[in-house]
Amino acid sequence: DVKVTQSSRYLVKRTGEKVFLECVQDMDHENMFWYRQDPGLGLRLIYFSYDVKMKEKGDIPEGYSVSREKKERFSLILESASTNQTSMYLCASRASAAFTPWQPQHFGDGTRLSIL
Amino acid sequence: KQEVTQIPAALSVPEGENLVLNCSFTDSAIYNLQWFRQDPGKGLTSLLLIQSSQREQTSGRLNASLDKSSGRSTLYIAASQPGDSATYLCAVRPRGHNYGQNFVFGPGTRLSVLP
């Protein structure tokens, strides 16, 4: 079974801090994704990466950056955390959409981030 | 632009009932459709994946159908149990976009199965 692991289930940070959310997958997947999920707004894509050192903005990239130095790890960075970034953050991975578009997406358990 | 809707937004049923959750999408040009389950405060668990060439998929008490031409999918849950209580989301993978294109998610249906 595919395993997508997010480093923290719950995280509390202060406004202005630099925050790192880590995600690791064990299936050698090329594609990785970061979403946030808010009540009434559903899942929204922040950034995705289709391979090592490759990244693309999603629907709501403002205030975030990402890093993909190794294939198995995809990090989401909040450069200067703000209260409106309090949310549930979900990481996902998938085999390459370019060559296997029929493959499913696999999700981690999520990180509930609170910015005070 | 692909849009996905799910009806109803919430549903309560007594234990043992069979039920159907609905998912609609506006553009039939998809690779596949995936149904997920999400428990409160948790991530998404994949339930069923239907390719665009398929009409249905089954896993245990779950059966998902796909009618691509009409832009609809249903998730049928037989003999519902309290443990089925969760939010169910559907997502489609659009065709004709760059290879990084993500799934497009519906808002979910919150299901409560009462003992």
Side-chain angles (χ1 to χ4, degrees):
Chain A
D1 275 357
V2 176
K3 185 73 174 172
V4 179
T5 303
Q6 294 184 230
S7 54
S8 304
R9 290 295 312 280
Y10 302 95
L11 206 53
V12 180
K13 296 291 182 180
R14 297 216 171 265
T15 303
E17 280 192 65
K18 190 168 186 176
V19 180
F20 293 85
L21 302 183
E22 305 287 345
C23 176
V24 176
Q25 49 93 4
D26 66 355
M27 282 301 292
D28 203 36
H29 283 166
E30 290 81 8
N31 300 165
M32 296 188 74
F33 306 82
W34 274 107
Y35 298 85
R36 63 178 284 177
Q37 185 178 32
D38 301 286
L41 297 176
L43 270 83
R44 293 180 291 168
L45 181 66
I46 305 171
Y47 266 98
F48 64 92
S49 168
Y50 47 90
D51 212 335
V52 177
K53 296 192 187 293
M54 303 293 191
K55 59 186 179 185
E56 291 285 341
K57 293 179 180 178
D59 299 320
I60 50 165
E62 296 77 20
Y64 302 94
S65 62
V66 290
S67 172
R68 184 114 181 256
E69 295 297 317
K70 293 185 178 181
K71 195 173 187 180
E72 68 269 21
R73 185 180 298 271
F74 191 34
S75 303
L76 179 69
I77 304 157
L78 285 65
E79 298 290 344
S80 177
S82 63
T83 55
N84 63 11
Q85 292 178 310
T86 291
S87 186
M88 168 73 107
Y89 289 87
L90 293 164
C91 174
S93 75
R94 184 186 66 203
S96 172
F99 304 109
T100 54
W102 53 86
Q103 290 294 323
Q105 239 178 34
H106 301 271
F107 281 81
D109 284 338
T111 296
R112 173 79 60 189
L113 175 64
S114 296
I115 306 296
L116 304 179
Chain B
K1 182 184 175 186
Q2 178 75 265
E3 292 183 1
V4 180
T5 55
Q6 291 185 248
I7 294 173
L11 181 64
S12 286
V13 300
E15 182 177 4
E17 273 204 9
N18 303 325
L19 58 99
V20 174
L21 307 180
N22 296 290
C23 172
S24 298
F25 47 96
T26 54
D27 189 342
S28 61
I30 62 170
Y31 281 114
N32 51 41
L33 183 146
Q34 193 167 358
W35 280 94
F36 295 89
R37 169 189 172 132
Q38 186 176 31
D39 294 292
K42 299 280 186 72
L44 276 66
T45 300
S46 180
L47 296 174
L48 289 164
L49 174 71
I50 311 178
Q51 304 298 342
S52 62
S53 58
Q54 297 174 323
R55 292 197 65 84
E56 65 179 290
Q57 282 285 332
T58 298
S59 176
R61 292 183 295 108
L62 305 179
N63 176 277
S65 68
L66 175 64
D67 184 343
K68 203 174 59 164
S69 60
S70 66
R72 289 192 291 200
S73 176
T74 61
L75 179 66
Y76 174 82
I77 303 176
S80 58
Q81 302 170 359
D84 294 330
S85 298
T87 297
Y88 292 80
L89 296 97
C90 70
V92 297
R93 165 110 163 82
R95 273 186 193 275
H97 291 71
N98 73 63
Y99 58 80
Q101 182 60 49
N102 185 35
F103 278 88
V104 179
F105 285 84
T109 294
R110 190 171 67 253
L111 173 66
S112 298
V113 180
L114 308 174

